[in-house]
Amino acid sequence: MKNKTKKYFIKYSLEFFVIVLGITFSFFLQNVRQEKELDSKRQLIISNLLDELESNQNYITKRKSEFVREMDYVNKLLNDSLTFKMFEEYPKESSPLNPFFSVLRFEPSSSTYNSLVNDGSLNLIKSSEVKTLINEVYKSKINYLNYFVDAEYKAAIEVERIFINNYPEIYLRNFWFNYSDKKLINNVFQIMKKDIHFKALMVQKISFMEVKIGALNSYAKQRDSLITLLKKKKLIF
């Protein structure tokens, strides 16, 4: 009787062990499969972010050139070395008054990043280093840069106010959009050269332009670092 009981005990114990082992192995395979799926999603996230970051290169290069050009025009005005001929050589698709009455913002493409944030996919990235750098590039650096863009814009509004208050007859001629009228633009240019309040605001505006360019350079370095890091992480998966 004891031998029979022992025999059943061993038999059922083995069956129980096999069942537990089978369930455990099944869970293990499921976890491996899920982790592979997550790795594939991480790979896709990284690839999409890389595509977006690299696609912004032309925009960044163009914006750098435009920022420098705009600041150069304001500097030349303050140094009395800006000539009307330079105005005539300004890119034809926009007004040569842009550097003084307008502001260039910095808004690289971020649709992929925004989509990943909105659906929570960005949380799949494990590396805190990668997450921190992504946040720096997509939020902190751009917000910092555009803070000075907003400050520059306020100065530009005050500049326009000078013309509204002091030179309404010129302002009414819609010089901002009517930049094909060389005589009109030249009149505005002559006022800009002589009006001390206008120049004082240009001193304020250019200080923000300088910081803006520095912030863009800092952004570009961080972006390059993020691209390098993402390419390294991509090789791991």
Side-chain angles (χ1 to χ4, degrees):
M1 185 69 178
K2 286 183 178 180
N3 289 336
K4 192 173 182 182
T5 302
K6 185 177 180 180
K7 181 179 178 183
Y8 280 120
F9 176 77
I10 294 171
K11 177 184 176 184
Y12 290 123
S13 294
L14 285 172
E15 288 178 355
F16 177 76
F17 177 75
V18 169
I19 291 171
V20 170
L21 185 64
I23 293 172
T24 302
F25 187 67
S26 176
F27 277 128
F28 172 75
L29 288 178
Q30 186 177 355
N31 288 336
V32 170
R33 185 166 56 251
Q34 288 177 343
E35 193 57 35
K36 283 186 176 180
E37 290 175 359
L38 289 176
D39 282 344
S40 295
K41 288 182 179 178
R42 292 186 187 102
Q43 182 82 277
L44 182 60
I45 288 169
I46 289 175
S47 293
N48 289 340
L49 282 173
L50 277 171
D51 288 344
E52 181 168 75
L53 289 164
E54 291 176 332
S55 71
N56 283 328
Q57 182 58 56
N58 288 338
Y59 174 80
I60 293 168
T61 301
K62 185 172 183 288
R63 264 299 185 257
K64 277 185 180 180
S65 174
E66 289 169 337
F67 282 1
V68 171
R69 180 193 66 204
E70 306 282 90
M71 190 171 72
D72 183 56
Y73 266 60
V74 177
N75 262 324
K76 281 184 166 59
L77 175 75
L78 293 174
N79 295 330
D80 292 322
S81 59
L82 184 66
T83 64
F84 188 66
K85 184 178 180 182
M86 292 177 187
F87 263 45
E88 292 180 308
E89 294 170 352
Y90 196 84
K92 301 304 179 185
E93 68 274 8
S94 54
S95 170
L97 300 172
N98 271 344
F100 314 96
F101 294 89
S102 185
V103 176
L104 289 173
R105 294 189 66 81
F106 182 67
E107 296 172 333
S109 173
S110 60
S111 57
T112 296
Y113 168 79
N114 292 334
S115 176
L116 293 173
V117 170
N118 290 335
D119 66 18
S121 298
L122 205 60
N123 293 325
L124 292 176
I125 295 178
K126 294 179 179 180
S127 171
S128 58
E129 181 186 8
V130 173
K131 285 182 177 179
T132 299
L133 202 49
I134 287 173
N135 183 70
E136 279 285 305
V137 171
Y138 275 99
K139 291 182 68 178
S140 301
K141 290 293 182 183
I142 293 178
N143 289 343
Y144 177 74
L145 190 158
N146 282 325
Y147 171 82
F148 292 99
V149 168
D150 292 337
E152 185 188 343
Y153 179 64
K154 290 177 183 177
I157 290 175
E158 290 302 312
V159 162
E160 187 174 10
R161 184 66 54 189
I162 286 177
F163 272 80
I164 292 173
N165 292 335
N166 301 330
Y167 311 100
E169 72 286 354
I170 293 287
Y171 192 81
L172 284 171
R173 293 176 65 187
N174 200 19
F175 65 78
W176 183 246
F177 297 101
N178 194 15
Y179 53 85
S180 59
D181 186 338
K182 291 184 179 181
K183 184 177 179 181
L184 175 60
I185 296 300
N186 188 47
N187 288 339
V188 176
F189 176 53
Q190 296 305 322
I191 291 171
M192 287 164 47
K193 287 173 63 177
K194 296 174 183 177
D195 192 293
I196 191 68
H197 293 101
F198 183 93
K199 283 193 171 183
L201 281 168
M202 285 299 102
V203 171
Q204 183 185 54
K205 191 173 186 290
I206 203 169
S207 65
F208 298 131
M209 297 174 94
E210 288 172 350
V211 179
K212 183 174 71 173
I213 290 174
L216 177 54
N217 289 333
S218 178
Y219 164 85
K221 288 180 182 178
Q222 287 284 71
R223 167 192 167 271
D224 292 344
S225 296
L226 178 57
I227 288 175
T228 300
L229 185 58
L230 288 176
K231 285 181 177 179
K232 287 180 181 178
K233 293 295 179 182
K234 188 177 180 181
L235 294 176
I236 294 175
F237 298 120

